[in-house]
Amino acid sequence: MRLKKPNPYGGCIERINNVNINRDTWHRLVPKNATFGLPCPACANGKLKLDTTGVNIVEPKHSIDYRDDQSWEPDNVVERWSARLVCDEAPCGEIVHLIGDIETVEVDIDDGDGQTYWGAREDVLRVRAAFPAPPLFRMSKNVPSRVRRELDLAFRLYWADTSACVARLRTAVEALLDHQKVPTERLIKNGPNKSKMKRMDLYERIKAFTAGAAHEGQLDGLRNIGNLGTHGGEDVNDEDLFDALEVLQFALTGIYDTKSINAKAAKLQSKKAGD
């Protein structure tokens, strides 16, 4: 893998806004001197900063012992790391732990005069897990708890498995439909099984819920990409994941926040001079 320096994640990672996810700020490979700055999972405004203990890097004994082997090469070194991040909002002070391993990558180096050189090698931090997981996007307080739980699992999976993360978004759609009391079965009206109940698949449930509304295409897109995610492999990538996250964020806003927004709009409409 090759990286370019200065790289887009050399500084802190910016907080996600509530419109689009800033994709350039989310990376599983970060330099050893990263200051992080991930969004706090506990409060709305905080950023997670590396605490004073810094990044702890250790080499396990089996890797150390292997250095004495005649076949040993520098690429055989195994190193693990951990770090503790703390929310910079004093009243919050949430603590998040990151773990991972060290990975050697090729880097492109910009000399500052417009010339780029490549082929240099650098050790970087590979993030394997974060707990509690920083949110990939902020959710409204109106989003039901079961949907939030599924999304929290998706946020955890981001660091380990893109396909599993995308598949979990599909599960969040199912939880959304359950909360909206969309039926899980339908009555068969024709054929040999007439008058029997048949389990509805996710496509049918989405159709029943949206009935041609704008959310139909959004939720069905999440269903489709979620199906691909369940197969694993390389069927989905980070671009698909962030597309899905933005679509789901938009759909959740439309479904759960429209009522409160309309109430505010009505209040504004009814306001008179002197009120």
Side-chain angles (χ1 to χ4, degrees), residues 211-225:
H215 297 309
E216 179 179 343
Q218 298 162 11
L219 297 181
D220 192 54
L222 292 166
R223 175 197 65 82
N224 181 63
I225 198 65

Side-chain angles (χ1 to χ4, degrees), residues 115-135:
Q115 298 294 320
T116 300
Y117 304 92
W118 68 275
R121 292 164 67 82
E122 179 177 319
D123 288 345
V124 296
L125 306 176
R126 165 72 75 173
V127 184
R128 297 291 184 183
F131 184 83

Side-chain angles (χ1 to χ4, degrees), residues 1 16 19 23 38 41 48 57 60 62 72 127 148-149 159 182 218-219 243 251 254 268:
M1 181 176 293
I16 300 171
V19 178
R23 305 182 187 201
L38 293 162
L48 300 169
I57 301 175
H62 68 81
W72 180 88
V127 184
R148 297 176 74 92
R149 285 196 299 271
W159 303 101
V182 178
Q218 298 162 11
L219 297 181
D243 283 348
L268 294 174

Side-chain angles (χ1 to χ4, degrees), residues 116-164:
T116 300
Y117 304 92
W118 68 275
R121 292 164 67 82
E122 179 177 319
D123 288 345
V124 296
L125 306 176
R126 165 72 75 173
V127 184
R128 297 291 184 183
F131 184 83
L136 288 163
F137 67 83
R138 298 289 186 186
M139 283 176 277
S140 162
K141 63 181 180 180
N142 297 323
V143 174
S145 59
R146 188 186 160 199
V147 176
R148 297 176 74 92
R149 285 196 299 271
E150 296 298 337
L151 288 175
D152 181 61
L153 289 172
F155 298 159
R156 295 187 210 177
L157 288 168
Y158 165 75
W159 303 101
D161 190 326
T162 299
S163 294

